Amino acid sequence: MSSTSDIFSSIAQSKLQAIHAKKDHEDGSDLLSNRSEPINARSNSFHALPNSPTSRSRQSSPSHSPRLGPSRFSNSRRSHPRSSSFGLKTWSFLWKWEQEFKPQQQKTKMKLAKPWYRRKRVKGLLALIGLLGCFILVNWIMLVRLQHDGAPAKVAEISSDSSTASLSVSVQGKWKKPGKGKRPQKGNYGRLLALAAHALAENKREPKDLWQEPLAPASAWRPCADQRNWEPSEKNNGYMLVTANGGMNQQRVAVCNAVVVARLLNSTLVVPKFMYSSVWRDVSQFSDIYQEEHFINYLTPDIPIVKELPKELQSLDLEAIGSVVTDVEMGKEAKPSFYLKNILPILLKNRVVHFVGFGNRLAFDPIPFELQRLRCRCNFHALQFVPKIQETGALLVKRLRQRTGHAGPLDHYLVGPLAESITEGGGNHSKKASKYLALHLRFEIDMVAHSLCEFGGGEAERKELEAYREIHFPALAHLEKTTKLPSPSELRSEGLCPLSPEEAVLMLAALGFNRKTHVFVAGSNLYGGRSRLVALTSLYPNLVTKENLLSSAEIEPFANYSSQLATLDFIACTAADAFAMTDSGSQFSSLVSGYRIYYGGGKMPTIRPNKRRLASIFTKNNTIEWRVFEQRVRKAVRQTKHVQTRPKARSVYRYPRCKECMCRIE
């Protein structure tokens, strides 16, 4: 025991001597700095070279003096190789080093081992992500190639005698490749179209309410504009001539407004004339489109109607005597007081007045109850298409329903007695009725040019539309040059741009119409031609137009008459199981949707997109996911699908659910 204590006392003395010897050479600043040095620095000094500055500085540090560190071990071995106390010092150092530094070294090894495993795990994860990314990229490239290069599948023959020799817009057979330098215009929706194609390929079940209207509130309204609560006016203040401008839709509205003004002024209406338009280029007159005798006879209890002026008035120079009133002299949607104050004196003085360019020249409010009802009576009851149009329209609807013998609730009101021909030859009546969706693409060049919007065609499109405005809309072209108008992006954000074909088909896909849906497209003369239909036909191959369904011989009588062709679209869209409009401000869409409301009994749904809401969704086309896009589009459309009565000052042609036109069943 005494020898052991002597050994440890000698070790303690040697340690104290070493401390005092080094303390004399130590700088005060080193003392302060090294007191805060971490303990793992001792392991670094152990591995440092013996003569290195680092090892020397660490040896001189007082923080290491109480213990025998590795630097001390290396120095003692070099300076005292044969010392008798060397063995004891070595034994003491090794014993303490094992107790203090070995656990720390094991911890260090464990810490160093963790990053290695983590790095291996991260590399594996990155490899997996890269593999998935490659798979998604290849899948996306294949879908894009299908969109760009794939020719649409042939539409199945619906009738054996429907081979069309020349079509204004063809969706049957192979598409012609665009000329050099001309690429199909798809706007900026390539990514969303690819996502839509992928979603439709999954063939999900359609939403339950897709082909339905809110039945309970919608069916509570029934037509009653045919009811009269007045007697024919015995007083006659003179004759009223009307020359209506625009296409078929504007002309129809003008005729009904003229009937109301004739009753307001107690005048005799001469069967209206239609003005030739450089845009529509149609010479059709009233009797070419509507049944003249039915029109006269049905409205006789309301106003007197004649086919022409009396002979004594035909020789008058109406312009010279001041009886011609142009649309410039009348404000748009003028109130009844305007006619009583300004037009009635002319009529009483000259016994005749001639409205030139008459269109939307009568307000919807305030209008006396019976006059508003007369307006509805004219539109929904007095105007019936001529037999030639009814016959072709019935044939068109029959082929759209694929000869299933299915009768629609509006057939009789659209084509009269020829509605029976739609159900003839239906074959197997046990077969489920074929539904079809009608889509009105209001994307003709006049609409596109007048909107002042841009549709992805770049500088060439901009110049073309500017040139069109110079010719057909000179006032708008002048305003564009002299006034700072909203930019195309601002117009689009406010919902003032018509939906492009690409936006329309994305809307249909988001709403849930499956790929097999039969789609009838109204308005064939699309701006941009057949290339604008590529997006539609690639997603919905069962897409047809009237030019597909009718043979050249069947459509030839209407070929040069745009207004008469528009009546065929009107019949097909109004009779459809569902109707989707792309521009709520369109007269055609307003008339079709109003007719479906008036006679549909709550079973004829109409899709009215809120373009302002859709515009905010489409602006995110580069980032939005398809599931989110679906949800937002459905919400935007669902908000417009509710049953509502006519808002104040809005069109009774579009919103006939009002006490003047329809009666509500309590």
Side-chain angles (χ1 to χ4, degrees):
M1 292 292 291
S2 61
S3 61
T4 305
S5 61
D6 293 338
I7 291 171
F8 280 103
S9 62
S10 63
I11 291 172
Q13 287 178 2
S14 63
K15 285 164 49 176
L16 289 171
Q17 289 173 2
I19 291 170
H20 290 301
K22 292 178 181 179
K23 199 169 186 180
D24 295 334
H25 299 86
E26 191 173 13
D27 188 37
S29 61
D30 292 336
L31 175 64
L32 293 173
S33 62
N34 284 290
R35 280 179 181 172
S36 61
E37 194 170 274
I39 192 167
N40 60 2
R42 289 195 291 271
S43 65
N44 293 336
S45 63
F46 171 74
H47 293 286
L49 291 173
N51 297 324
S52 66
T54 306
S55 66
R56 289 180 184 143
S57 64
R58 301 269 174 99
Q59 289 168 10
S60 64
S61 174
S63 62
H64 299 283
S65 57
R67 297 179 182 176
L68 292 173
S71 61
R72 187 175 179 82
F73 170 73
S74 60
N75 287 338
S76 64
R77 190 171 77 173
R78 185 177 65 246
S79 57
H80 303 286
R82 296 172 184 242
S83 174
S84 61
S85 63
F86 171 74
L88 291 174
K89 291 180 180 180
T90 303
W91 176 85
S92 175
F93 167 75
L94 289 174
W95 182 79
K96 291 189 177 183
W97 179 84
E98 185 176 6
Q99 298 299 319
E100 297 181 11
F101 288 86
K102 196 171 182 180
Q104 185 177 351
Q105 190 178 26
Q106 290 176 353
K107 290 180 181 179
T108 306
K109 288 182 178 180
M110 291 177 65
K111 288 180 180 179
L112 292 173
K114 286 182 180 179
W116 181 83
Y117 286 109
R118 286 176 182 171
R119 287 196 299 271
K120 188 173 181 180
R121 193 180 305 163
V122 168
K123 287 181 180 178
L125 185 60
L126 289 175
L128 181 61
I129 292 173
L131 186 63
L132 290 173
C134 290
F135 176 77
I136 294 171
L137 179 63
V138 171
N139 189 29
W140 180 80
I141 291 173
M142 291 176 66
L143 288 172
V144 170
R145 286 180 63 86
L146 284 173
Q147 292 290 329
H148 281 278
D149 304 326
K154 286 189 177 184
V155 180
E157 288 290 339
I158 295 180
S159 71
S160 58
D161 57 346
S162 299
S163 58
T164 308
S166 60
L167 307 177
S168 63
V169 176
S170 174
V171 294
Q172 196 166 359
K174 293 184 178 180
W175 294 86
K176 291 183 181 179
K177 293 182 179 180
K180 188 176 180 181
K182 296 181 180 179
R183 298 182 61 186
Q185 300 180 24
K186 298 180 71 173
N188 301 316
Y189 301 113
R191 174 181 171 273
L192 274 180
L193 289 170
L195 293 175
H198 184 74
L200 290 177
E202 296 178 0
N203 197 25
K204 295 180 181 178
R205 182 176 296 180
E206 294 179 337
K208 293 181 179 180
D209 61 343
L210 191 60
W211 298 86
Q212 298 175 359
E213 209 175 359
L215 182 61
S219 59
W221 294 84
R222 62 179 179 83
C224 61
D226 56 336
Q227 299 177 8
R228 293 178 173 89
N229 294 321
W230 60 16
E231 297 296 329
S233 177
E234 298 180 357
K235 187 177 180 181
N236 187 4
N237 292 326
Y239 293 85
M240 194 175 90
L241 296 168
V242 172
T243 302
N245 59 3
M248 186 274 292
N249 314 301
Q250 292 82 4
Q251 291 166 355
R252 187 182 183 102
V253 170
V255 168
C256 294
N257 289 343
V259 168
V260 175
V261 173
R263 174 74 189 205
L264 177 67
L265 300 178
N266 288 323
S267 61
T268 299
L269 178 66
V270 179
V271 173
K273 302 290 183 182
F274 294 156
M275 181 184 294
Y276 178 82
S277 170
S278 61
V279 175
W280 302 105
R281 299 179 182 178
D282 188 356
V283 296
S284 299
Q285 290 301 318
F286 186 93
S287 58
D288 297 319
I289 299 175
Y290 302 108
Q291 297 180 31
E292 196 173 79
E293 293 299 328
H294 174 79
F295 176 73
I296 295 173
N297 295 332
Y298 191 86
L299 293 176
T300 295
D302 303 302
I303 59 169
I305 303 176
V306 296
K307 295 183 179 180
E308 58 183 14
L309 281 174
K311 291 184 178 180
E312 64 270 18
L313 298 178
Q314 292 179 8
S315 59
L316 292 176
D317 186 346
L318 299 183
E319 189 171 0
I321 63 175
S323 288
V324 175
V325 181
T326 65
D327 56 346
V328 178
E329 300 175 78
M330 293 182 291
K332 186 178 181 181
E333 297 186 359
K335 296 180 179 180
S337 57
F338 169 85
Y339 291 93
L340 295 174
K341 180 180 179 180
N342 299 284
I343 306 302
L344 184 58
I346 298 175
L347 187 63
L348 294 173
K349 177 183 177 182
N350 300 328
R351 294 186 59 207
V352 60
V353 64
H354 185 192
F355 294 108
V356 178
F358 192 78
N360 292 333
R361 293 297 180 265
L362 180 63
F364 289 102
D365 286 305
I367 294 287
F369 180 91
E370 288 298 333
L371 289 179
Q372 196 78 286
R373 174 163 286 189
L374 176 59
R375 211 176 203 167
C376 296
R377 185 155 56 245
C378 172
N379 182 52
F380 298 115
H381 296 274
L383 294 177
Q384 292 188 359
F385 296 123
V386 295
K388 178 182 74 170
I389 293 175
Q390 287 183 338
E391 181 180 0
T392 308
L395 185 62
L396 185 60
V397 173
K398 184 176 183 178
R399 290 175 180 170
L400 279 167
R401 293 178 182 155
Q402 297 190 341
R403 300 178 181 274
T404 57
H406 169 57
L410 274 69
D411 294 354
H412 174 74
Y413 304 105
L414 292 168
V415 297
L418 291 168
E420 297 178 1
S421 66
I422 297 176
T423 60
E424 291 177 357
N428 186 8
H429 288 272
S430 62
K431 182 180 177 181
K432 187 178 179 181
S434 176
K435 292 181 179 180
Y436 75 93
L437 164 72
L439 173 67
H440 179 225
L441 281 177
R442 185 66 173 97
F443 205 69
E444 294 85 358
I445 188 171
D446 65 311
M447 180 66 176
V448 173
H450 196 272
S451 70
L452 297 175
C453 299
E454 294 180 355
F455 300 93
E459 188 63 25
E461 175 192 278
R462 196 176 299 111
K463 290 181 179 179
E464 182 181 5
L465 297 180
E466 285 178 359
Y468 188 90
R469 285 192 288 269
E470 289 284 350
I471 299 172
H472 299 283
F473 306 116
L476 181 60
H478 177 73
L479 188 67
E480 189 178 12
K481 293 177 181 178
T482 59
T483 308
K484 185 178 180 180
L485 300 175
S487 66
S489 60
E490 291 173 334
L491 292 171
R492 187 171 298 279
S493 66
E494 291 297 321
L496 299 176
C497 297
L499 292 185
S500 67
E502 295 81 21
E503 292 170 333
V505 74
L506 286 171
M507 177 186 71
L508 297 181
L511 289 176
F513 288 100
N514 65 47
R515 183 174 171 81
K516 297 179 181 179
T517 303
H518 292 270
V519 181
F520 174 80
V521 176
S524 301
N525 298 319
L526 300 181
Y527 173 66
R530 290 181 292 183
S531 65
R532 299 305 304 224
L533 280 178
V534 171
L536 280 167
T537 53
S538 61
L539 296 185
Y540 293 99
N542 294 326
L543 182 145
V544 292
T545 65
K546 57 184 175 295
E547 289 84 2
N548 295 123
L549 297 173
L550 301 174
S551 67
S552 57
E554 290 165 344
I555 205 170
E556 193 275 333
F558 309 95
N560 297 319
Y561 305 99
S562 61
S563 292
Q564 295 183 44
L565 285 171
T567 62
L568 299 180
D569 282 334
F570 181 88
I571 292 173
C573 288
T574 307
D577 298 278
F579 172 63
M581 62 176 73
T582 58
D583 180 23
S584 57
S586 164
Q587 284 277 22
F588 179 91
S589 295
S590 296
L591 291 171
V592 169
S593 61
Y595 216 91
R596 291 167 63 85
I597 290 173
Y598 190 78
Y599 286 118
K603 300 177 182 179
M604 307 296 285
T606 297
I607 299 169
R608 305 175 181 86
N610 185 320
K611 293 188 295 180
R612 187 173 184 178
R613 290 182 179 272
L614 288 182
S616 66
I617 301 173
F618 283 127
T619 55
K620 300 176 177 60
N621 67 84
N622 291 324
T623 57
I624 194 170
E625 294 299 325
W626 181 254
R627 180 180 57 82
V628 179
F629 180 77
E630 273 186 338
Q631 292 174 350
R632 294 190 62 185
V633 169
R634 291 182 185 184
K635 182 179 179 181
V637 173
R638 194 183 302 117
Q639 291 172 344
T640 65
K641 206 174 180 180
H642 60 276
V643 176
Q644 65 174 1
T645 57
R646 182 179 74 91
K648 186 177 181 180
R650 300 299 295 272
S651 170
V652 294
Y653 309 119
R654 181 181 178 183
Y655 299 102
R657 287 194 186 102
C658 58
K659 59 183 180 180
E660 295 90 348
C661 297
M662 302 182 73
C663 299
R664 186 167 185 172
I665 303 172
E666 300 297 338

